[in-house]
């Protein structure tokens, strides 16, 4: 009697699933291989260690306040809801920004200040825990190399860049901390406004609470603009947007924005989106900083005022451009599900109910991801 062609394979699989211990070992191996495949797809390239290029400027650049509004989306910049921010948009440079793949604060900020793609398998985990100091080249390191002083008022989301900070504040009295950094005349200050993000996780767009949070944000920005010393310029940017359900996770279309005065970015509304990795050099352009070769944002030349020194230098530079993404290993998903089903079928009858419940709970946990990750994110800032 001829054996089926696949008999050797089924026999081998039968050996693996003959005992519960072997099932556990096989499942662990499959999960490891599957996660490794996804991690290889999503992982960032080698650490960017080359500093930015400094362009000589005819005059000393102004100091800068970079206002980071957590969760700001293009729909929020509306003349009726945020008149202060709307006026700044129409008087200067405005562009929509494509956030990082993770759509979460810490990975997106890392990508914005390093200029390199930083998405990975553990993006959600990195967003919820403290970061160790990064080895990547970044805007803060570029400024420190120029002898610039740096101040940050935040909630810990930028802690990976702490080695380059001159002053840092992570408490609740943020306006007072900002005034102290102004008094020290620091060259570059990042100010994190997080209250809006905390609100839209609880109040959906269109609700009274959401509208009130927008008005409070605009009033707060108006106060900041009034208090900025004359020797400072400014930019406003977000890390990601959010959808109508108040969520921002991998796979959702949730752009954010970049708003700046005309010099050196020009007065215009940019048509299209720019990658968030571009922000390192859009902000750095004020200080004459241009990208190193491994830069992964958009071409800077069209984004800068052509008659400015950095605009002329950007036109003469050559960048590698954005890193293309590889093919997502959907075969890993199919293989993992198929082998899990075969393994479940070969389990002893007494094990099947428990294993079935475990698989169901895993599926429910994955399906609920859009809900529990934002909840944990909001709880962290409570």
């Amino acid at each position: 009697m001829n054996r089926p062609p696949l008999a050797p394979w089924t026999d081998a699989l039968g050996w693996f699933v003959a005992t519960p211990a072997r099932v556990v070992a096989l499942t662990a191996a499959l999960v490891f291989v599957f996660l490794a495949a996804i991690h290889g797809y999503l992982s960032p390239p080698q650490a960017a260690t080359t500093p930015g290029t400094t362009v000589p400027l005819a005059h000393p650049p102004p100091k800068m306040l970079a206002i980071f509004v957590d969760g700001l989306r293009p729909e929020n910049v509306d003349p009726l809801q945020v008149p202060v921010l709307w006026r700044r948009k129409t008087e200067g440079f405005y562009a929509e920004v494509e956030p990082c793949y993770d759509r979460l604060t810490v990975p997106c900020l890392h990508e914005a200040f390093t200029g390199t793609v930083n998405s990975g398998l553990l993006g959600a985990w990195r967003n919820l825990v403290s970061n160790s100091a990064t080895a990547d080249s970044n805007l803060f390191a570029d400024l420190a190399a120029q002898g610039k002083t740096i101040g940050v008022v935040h909630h810990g989301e930028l802690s990976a860049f702490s080695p380059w900070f001159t002053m840092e504040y992570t408490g609740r009295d943020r306006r007072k901390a900002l005034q102290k950094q102004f008094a020290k005349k620091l060259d570059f200050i990042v100010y994190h406004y997080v209250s809006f993000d905390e609100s839209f996780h609880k109040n959906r767009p269109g609700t009274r609470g959401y509208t009130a949070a927008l008005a409070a944000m605009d009033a707060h920005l108006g106060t900041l603009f009034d208090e900025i010393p004359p020797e400072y310029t400014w930019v406003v940017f977000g890390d990601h947007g959010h959808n109508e359900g108040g969520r921002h996770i991998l796979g959702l279309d949730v752009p954010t924005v970049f708003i700046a005065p005309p010099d050196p970015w020009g007065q215009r509304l940019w048509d299209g989106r720019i990658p968030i990795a571009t922000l390192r050099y859009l902000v750095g352009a004020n200080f004459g900083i241009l990208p190193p070769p491994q830069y992964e944002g958009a071409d800077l030349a069209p984004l800068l005022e052509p008659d400015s020194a950095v605009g002329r230098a950007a036109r003469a530079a050559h960048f590698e451009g954005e890193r293309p993404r590889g093919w997502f290993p959907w075969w890993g998903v199919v293989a993992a599900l198929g082998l899990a089903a075969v393994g479940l079928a070969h389990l002893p009858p007494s094990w099947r109910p428990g294993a079935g419940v475990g698989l169901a709970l895993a599926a429910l946990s994955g399906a609920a991801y859009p809900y529990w990750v934002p909840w944990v994110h909001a709880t962290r800032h409570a």
Side-chain angles (χ1 to χ4, degrees), residues 3 6-16:
R3 301 184 68 198
L6 296 179
W9 298 99
T10 56
D11 289 347
L13 184 59
W15 183 88
F16 275 108

Side-chain angles (χ1 to χ4, degrees), residues 50-118:
T50 306
T53 301
T54 299
V55 177
L57 300 177
H59 305 284
K63 302 176 188 299
M64 176 182 283
L65 172 65
I67 305 171
F68 156 42
V69 180
D70 204 317
L72 184 64
R73 66 177 187 165
E75 293 86 346
N76 297 141
V77 190
D78 176 86
L80 298 179
Q81 295 181 309
V82 290
V84 171
L85 196 56
W86 174 263
R87 181 167 63 87
R88 301 286 174 163
K89 167 187 174 180
T90 56
E91 292 177 350
F93 179 87
Y94 171 87
E96 288 191 9
V97 177
E98 181 68 21
C100 64
Y101 290 94
D102 297 305
R103 270 68 168 144
L104 296 170
T105 297
V106 172
C108 286
L109 287 178
H110 189 280
E111 199 159 309
F113 285 108
T114 62
T116 55
V117 174
N118 186 48

Side-chain angles (χ1 to χ4, degrees), residues 204-215:
R204 300 297 178 254
T207 63
R208 183 176 301 177
Y210 187 91
T211 302
L214 269 180

Side-chain angles (χ1 to χ4, degrees), residues 128-145:
L128 300 173
V129 300
S130 298
N131 282 325
S132 57
T134 180
D136 289 5
S137 170
N138 60 81
L139 177 61
F140 300 106
D142 291 340
L143 292 172

Side-chain angles (χ1 to χ4, degrees), residues 211-291:
T211 302
L214 269 180
M217 176 195 73
D218 198 54
H220 190 85
L221 292 179
T223 301
L224 292 182
F225 286 131
D226 291 340
E227 294 176 348
I228 294 177
E231 65 268 28
Y232 279 80
T233 186
W234 56 270
V235 295
V236 175
F237 67 97
D239 51 346
H240 53 71
H242 54 279
N243 67 3
E244 296 303 316
R247 296 188 289 274
H248 51 91
I249 60 169
L250 181 69
L252 296 182
D253 184 28
V254 286
T256 185
V257 302
F258 176 83
I259 305 173
D263 185 23
W265 301 278
Q267 183 177 2
R268 55 209 156 139
L269 303 181
W270 184 254
D271 184 20
R273 293 183 190 174
I274 59 176
I276 197 168
T278 306
L279 264 60
R280 173 181 179 180
Y281 301 104
L282 274 180
V283 175
N286 177 72
F287 300 96
I289 297 173
L290 286 178

